[in-house]
Amino acid sequence: MAQQQRAIGTRAAIIRGAAVAFREHGYGSTTLAGLEVAAGVSKGALYFHFASKEALALAVIEAQHEASIGLGQRLLDGTMPGLQALILMTFELAAQVQDEPVVSAGIRLTMEASNFSVPVVGPFHDWIDVCGKVLRRAIDEGDVSADLNVEAAAHFISPAFTGVQTVSQVLTGRADLFQRVEEMWALLLPGLLPAGLTDERRAKLTALPAQVRANCAAGPGAAGGVADRA
């Protein structure tokens, strides 16, 4: 049992170390020697756990997706209003991308999946599915138009966030990511909100992105306390 636990710990440490290398250099420019150094293990230990560089990259993607989709599932399972949960999800993902090497590496590797011998499509499908479910909750709550094409919206919102964080990485090293996510929502919300909302409710929902951003900046645990339903 102790040996098994050590093996699990070593595998996790290799993934964390490899994530740093993949995040900095990308898949194509990261060598096996570089992975050994980043993970702090010998070539033998690396190959004991992973048969190839691709296998290790796919493990990083899997670890990233487990961490990120866990966030989405937590919000789905909770009681937060749907529109607020959807907005919060993007800001918390932005925080993960900024702060957690495995997450930022996994996202970069997913974008470079054309280098792999197997397609990496599962994460995209999962996030589109989560977006659709949260949007349907928001429709049931009256905060999103019942006429919305949920499938089309989910297929747009998830890639929109991916594009925003990718361009933010290229231009500023993601230093402006929270600002760009807030701007994304300022553009998207008018097309999501129902026509029959009261002015008070519309103003409250329109203010959500700035409020969520401010609470995320205040630290862990603050982001959820934004605005209950009116």
Side-chain angles (χ1 to χ4, degrees):
M1 180 63 71
Q3 184 176 1
Q4 183 181 12
Q5 290 300 318
R6 283 196 299 272
I8 293 171
T10 299
R11 186 180 189 277
I14 292 172
I15 290 173
R16 289 193 300 270
V20 174
F22 284 131
R23 179 188 63 181
E24 297 301 319
H25 306 295
Y27 182 78
S29 298
T30 300
T31 64
L32 283 171
L35 289 170
E36 293 166 26
V37 172
V41 297
S42 66
K43 181 183 294 186
L46 188 68
Y47 275 109
F48 177 80
H49 290 278
F50 300 99
S52 64
K53 183 174 79 167
E54 179 176 321
L56 180 49
L58 291 173
V60 172
I61 292 173
E62 181 181 4
Q64 172 266 314
H65 187 51
E66 287 177 357
S68 298
I69 205 66
L71 158 67
Q73 193 60 52
R74 173 172 61 81
L75 290 170
L76 269 177
D77 293 341
T79 59
M80 181 178 292
L83 187 59
Q84 180 178 328
L86 185 59
I87 293 169
L88 175 59
M89 193 184 306
T90 58
F91 278 102
E92 291 203 357
L93 281 171
Q96 283 188 347
V97 171
Q98 285 182 323
D99 300 336
E100 300 180 20
V102 170
V103 173
S104 54
I107 289 175
R108 176 168 184 172
L109 289 168
T110 300
M111 299 295 290
E112 299 175 353
S114 60
N115 292 295
F116 303 150
S117 62
V118 295
V120 180
V121 298
F124 294 107
H125 287 309
D126 288 347
W127 275 114
I128 290 169
D129 182 62
V130 167
C131 283
K133 288 177 179 177
V134 180
L135 282 168
R136 289 185 180 92
R137 177 190 294 179
I139 290 172
D140 291 341
E141 294 164 342
D143 290 337
V144 167
S145 173
D147 296 331
L148 180 74
N149 183 328
V150 172
E151 183 177 0
H155 272 80
F156 180 78
I157 291 170
S158 180
F161 173 79
T162 300
V164 165
Q165 66 85 17
T166 300
V167 174
S168 176
Q169 167 62 24
V170 172
L171 296 182
T172 69
R174 296 196 179 99
D176 67 348
L177 181 53
F178 273 36
Q179 175 188 347
R180 301 309 173 196
V181 172
E182 182 181 341
E183 292 169 350
M184 180 189 85
W185 281 113
L187 293 168
L188 290 177
L189 278 176
L192 298 177
L193 301 183
L197 288 176
T198 64
D199 290 344
E200 180 183 4
R201 187 61 187 166
R202 184 174 297 276
K204 184 173 289 188
L205 294 176
T206 302
L208 276 175
Q211 292 173 346
V212 173
R213 176 186 174 185
N215 285 339
C216 283
V226 180
D228 294 330
R229 286 196 50 77

